Amino acid sequence: MSEGDSVGESIHGKPSVVAAFFTRIGQVYQSWLDKSTPFYAVRWAATLLLTAVYMIRVYILQGWYIVTYALGIYHLNLFIAFLSPKVDPSLLDEDEGPSLPTKQNEEFRPFIRRLPEFKFWHSATKGIVIAMICTFFDAFNVPVFWPILVMYFIMLFCITMKRQIKHMIKYRYLPFTHGKKTYKEET
């Protein structure tokens, strides 16, 4: 290896054309992500449209059920992380750390997610894109009896959601808060 062979550098110490190209692509991608942040409805609509295109592709091709199953499991894990608090109350002692209010007169503390909505959307969309790319390769088209996968996924979803809902009830938190109550000022 010569002196100029380090990753991203040319012989003269300046970034190589390839490294500069990929850096620029990353900057444009990040710029689009930043611009899309406030438009959550549009982002989720685009993701649902992408999901519909993926499902239609799988239906027409009659294959890639393992890829679809893996995508479903990945989305289930993302959803559970989205519903979970950042700090798990079952791991805290009674005297340690922040706690959720349990009485009417306690201070309001907003629900802080383990996986924020934007990261949930971004990861889910990336997963769909990767699954879509996998459908272009026959190596991922493993022959399976798909009804078994559907039944297993439904069972897994029900068991996981039951456990999550029990956890929510036990530690009295609701992952969907709309902020602190505000009152109009009378003049």
Side-chain angles (χ1 to χ4, degrees), residues 80-90 100 111-115 164 167-168 171 173 175:
I80 294 300
F82 178 72
L83 293 179
S84 300
K86 187 172 187 175
V87 178
D88 190 0
S90 66
L100 297 172
F111 181 79
I112 300 171
R113 301 178 187 287
R114 187 165 33 132
L115 182 67
Q164 186 67 28
H167 191 268
M168 292 163 139
Y171 293 102
Y173 66 90

Short mmCIF file of all heavy atoms in Angstrom, two decimals, residues 80-90 100 111-115 164 167-168 171 173 175:
data_model
loop_
_atom_site.label_atom_id
_atom_site.label_comp_id
_atom_site.label_asym_id
_atom_site.label_seq_id
_atom_site.Cartn_x
_atom_site.Cartn_y
_atom_site.Cartn_z
N ILE A 80 -42.44 -2.02 18.38
CA ILE A 80 -42.30 -2.23 19.82
C ILE A 80 -41.37 -1.18 20.41
O ILE A 80 -41.64 -0.62 21.49
CB ILE A 80 -41.81 -3.66 20.12
CG1 ILE A 80 -42.87 -4.68 19.73
CG2 ILE A 80 -41.42 -3.82 21.58
CD1 ILE A 80 -44.19 -4.53 20.44
N ALA A 81 -40.26 -0.89 19.72
CA ALA A 81 -39.35 0.15 20.21
C ALA A 81 -40.03 1.52 20.20
O ALA A 81 -39.79 2.35 21.08
CB ALA A 81 -38.08 0.19 19.36
N PHE A 82 -40.90 1.76 19.23
CA PHE A 82 -41.65 3.01 19.15
C PHE A 82 -42.63 3.15 20.31
O PHE A 82 -42.82 4.25 20.83
CB PHE A 82 -42.40 3.06 17.81
CG PHE A 82 -43.25 4.27 17.61
CD1 PHE A 82 -42.68 5.51 17.37
CD2 PHE A 82 -44.63 4.17 17.64
CE1 PHE A 82 -43.46 6.63 17.17
CE2 PHE A 82 -45.42 5.28 17.44
CZ PHE A 82 -44.84 6.52 17.20
N LEU A 83 -43.22 2.05 20.75
CA LEU A 83 -44.19 2.08 21.85
C LEU A 83 -43.54 2.06 23.22
O LEU A 83 -44.21 2.33 24.22
CB LEU A 83 -45.14 0.88 21.74
CG LEU A 83 -46.09 0.86 20.57
CD1 LEU A 83 -46.92 -0.42 20.61
CD2 LEU A 83 -46.99 2.08 20.56
N SER A 84 -42.26 1.74 23.30
CA SER A 84 -41.58 1.59 24.59
C SER A 84 -41.00 2.92 25.06
O SER A 84 -40.55 3.72 24.26
CB SER A 84 -40.45 0.58 24.47
OG SER A 84 -40.95 -0.67 24.08
N PRO A 85 -40.98 3.12 26.39
CA PRO A 85 -40.35 4.33 26.91
C PRO A 85 -38.83 4.25 26.81
O PRO A 85 -38.25 3.15 26.79
CB PRO A 85 -40.80 4.36 28.37
CG PRO A 85 -41.14 2.97 28.70
CD PRO A 85 -41.59 2.32 27.43
N LYS A 86 -38.19 5.41 26.73
CA LYS A 86 -36.74 5.45 26.62
C LYS A 86 -36.08 4.81 27.85
O LYS A 86 -35.12 4.07 27.74
CB LYS A 86 -36.27 6.89 26.45
CG LYS A 86 -34.81 7.02 26.15
CD LYS A 86 -34.45 8.45 25.81
CE LYS A 86 -33.01 8.53 25.36
NZ LYS A 86 -32.67 9.87 24.90
N VAL A 87 -36.63 5.12 29.01
CA VAL A 87 -36.15 4.53 30.25
C VAL A 87 -37.20 3.53 30.70
O VAL A 87 -38.33 3.90 31.01
CB VAL A 87 -35.92 5.61 31.33
CG1 VAL A 87 -35.46 4.99 32.63
CG2 VAL A 87 -34.95 6.65 30.84
N ASP A 88 -36.84 2.25 30.73
CA ASP A 88 -37.79 1.20 31.09
C ASP A 88 -38.08 1.27 32.59
O ASP A 88 -37.17 1.10 33.40
CB ASP A 88 -37.24 -0.17 30.72
CG ASP A 88 -38.26 -1.28 30.86
OD1 ASP A 88 -39.41 -0.98 31.23
OD2 ASP A 88 -37.91 -2.44 30.58
N PRO A 89 -39.34 1.53 32.99
CA PRO A 89 -39.66 1.65 34.41
C PRO A 89 -39.45 0.35 35.19
O PRO A 89 -39.26 0.38 36.40
CB PRO A 89 -41.12 2.08 34.44
CG PRO A 89 -41.65 1.87 33.07
CD PRO A 89 -40.49 1.77 32.14
N SER A 90 -39.46 -0.79 34.54
CA SER A 90 -39.25 -2.05 35.25
C SER A 90 -37.80 -2.22 35.69
O SER A 90 -37.52 -2.99 36.60
CB SER A 90 -39.67 -3.23 34.38
OG SER A 90 -38.82 -3.35 33.26
N LEU A 100 -43.16 8.32 35.68
CA LEU A 100 -44.38 8.87 35.10
C LEU A 100 -45.34 9.25 36.23
O LEU A 100 -45.36 8.59 37.27
CB LEU A 100 -45.02 7.85 34.17
CG LEU A 100 -44.18 7.47 32.96
CD1 LEU A 100 -44.83 6.31 32.22
CD2 LEU A 100 -44.04 8.65 32.02
N PHE A 111 -44.12 11.60 27.47
CA PHE A 111 -43.62 10.27 27.16
C PHE A 111 -42.46 10.40 26.18
O PHE A 111 -42.61 10.99 25.11
CB PHE A 111 -44.75 9.43 26.55
CG PHE A 111 -44.34 8.03 26.21
CD1 PHE A 111 -44.26 7.07 27.18
CD2 PHE A 111 -44.02 7.69 24.90
CE1 PHE A 111 -43.90 5.77 26.87
CE2 PHE A 111 -43.65 6.41 24.58
CZ PHE A 111 -43.59 5.44 25.57
N ILE A 112 -41.31 9.88 26.55
CA ILE A 112 -40.14 9.91 25.66
C ILE A 112 -39.93 8.50 25.14
O ILE A 112 -39.75 7.55 25.90
CB ILE A 112 -38.89 10.41 26.41
CG1 ILE A 112 -39.13 11.82 26.94
CG2 ILE A 112 -37.68 10.40 25.48
CD1 ILE A 112 -38.06 12.32 27.86
N ARG A 113 -39.97 8.37 23.84
CA ARG A 113 -39.89 7.06 23.19
C ARG A 113 -38.46 6.55 23.11
O ARG A 113 -37.51 7.33 23.01
CB ARG A 113 -40.45 7.14 21.78
CG ARG A 113 -41.86 7.58 21.71
CD ARG A 113 -42.32 7.70 20.27
NE ARG A 113 -43.65 8.26 20.21
CZ ARG A 113 -44.75 7.62 20.55
NH1 ARG A 113 -44.68 6.38 20.96
NH2 ARG A 113 -45.92 8.20 20.47
N ARG A 114 -38.34 5.22 23.09
CA ARG A 114 -37.04 4.62 22.84
C ARG A 114 -36.63 4.83 21.39
O ARG A 114 -35.47 5.02 21.08
CB ARG A 114 -37.09 3.12 23.17
CG ARG A 114 -35.74 2.47 23.09
CD ARG A 114 -35.66 1.10 23.73
NE ARG A 114 -36.86 0.32 23.67
CZ ARG A 114 -36.89 -0.95 23.29
NH1 ARG A 114 -35.82 -1.56 22.91
NH2 ARG A 114 -38.02 -1.60 23.29
N LEU A 115 -37.61 4.79 20.48
CA LEU A 115 -37.37 5.04 19.05
C LEU A 115 -38.28 6.18 18.61
O LEU A 115 -39.49 6.00 18.51
CB LEU A 115 -37.67 3.77 18.24
CG LEU A 115 -37.42 3.86 16.74
CD1 LEU A 115 -35.93 4.03 16.45
CD2 LEU A 115 -37.95 2.62 16.05
N GLN A 164 -46.54 -6.18 25.60
CA GLN A 164 -46.33 -4.73 25.62
C GLN A 164 -47.49 -4.00 26.30
O GLN A 164 -47.27 -3.09 27.09
CB GLN A 164 -46.15 -4.21 24.19
CG GLN A 164 -45.79 -2.75 24.10
CD GLN A 164 -44.41 -2.44 24.65
OE1 GLN A 164 -43.53 -3.28 24.63
NE2 GLN A 164 -44.24 -1.23 25.14
N HIS A 167 -47.28 -4.44 30.00
CA HIS A 167 -46.23 -3.57 30.51
C HIS A 167 -46.74 -2.14 30.65
O HIS A 167 -46.47 -1.46 31.64
CB HIS A 167 -45.02 -3.64 29.57
CG HIS A 167 -43.78 -3.00 30.13
ND1 HIS A 167 -43.47 -1.69 29.89
CD2 HIS A 167 -42.79 -3.52 30.89
CE1 HIS A 167 -42.33 -1.41 30.48
NE2 HIS A 167 -41.89 -2.49 31.10
N MET A 168 -47.51 -1.68 29.66
CA MET A 168 -48.08 -0.32 29.70
C MET A 168 -49.05 -0.17 30.87
O MET A 168 -49.04 0.85 31.56
CB MET A 168 -48.82 -0.02 28.39
CG MET A 168 -47.96 0.09 27.19
SD MET A 168 -49.04 -0.07 25.77
CE MET A 168 -48.39 1.15 24.70
N TYR A 171 -47.08 -0.29 34.40
CA TYR A 171 -46.31 0.91 34.74
C TYR A 171 -47.02 2.20 34.39
O TYR A 171 -46.44 3.27 34.43
CB TYR A 171 -44.93 0.84 34.08
CG TYR A 171 -44.11 -0.27 34.68
CD1 TYR A 171 -43.96 -1.47 33.99
CD2 TYR A 171 -43.54 -0.14 35.94
CE1 TYR A 171 -43.22 -2.51 34.55
CE2 TYR A 171 -42.82 -1.17 36.50
CZ TYR A 171 -42.66 -2.34 35.81
OH TYR A 171 -41.96 -3.36 36.36
N TYR A 173 -48.31 3.89 31.69
CA TYR A 173 -47.90 4.89 30.70
C TYR A 173 -48.67 4.66 29.41
O TYR A 173 -49.12 3.57 29.12
CB TYR A 173 -46.39 4.86 30.44
CG TYR A 173 -45.86 3.61 29.79
CD1 TYR A 173 -45.77 3.51 28.40
CD2 TYR A 173 -45.41 2.54 30.55
CE1 TYR A 173 -45.26 2.37 27.81
CE2 TYR A 173 -44.90 1.40 29.96
CZ TYR A 173 -44.82 1.33 28.59
OH TYR A 173 -44.33 0.19 28.00
N PRO A 175 -48.23 5.59 25.36
CA PRO A 175 -47.22 6.10 24.42
C PRO A 175 -47.72 7.19 23.49
O PRO A 175 -46.96 7.71 22.70
CB PRO A 175 -46.82 4.86 23.63
CG PRO A 175 -47.96 3.95 23.73
CD PRO A 175 -48.62 4.23 25.04
#
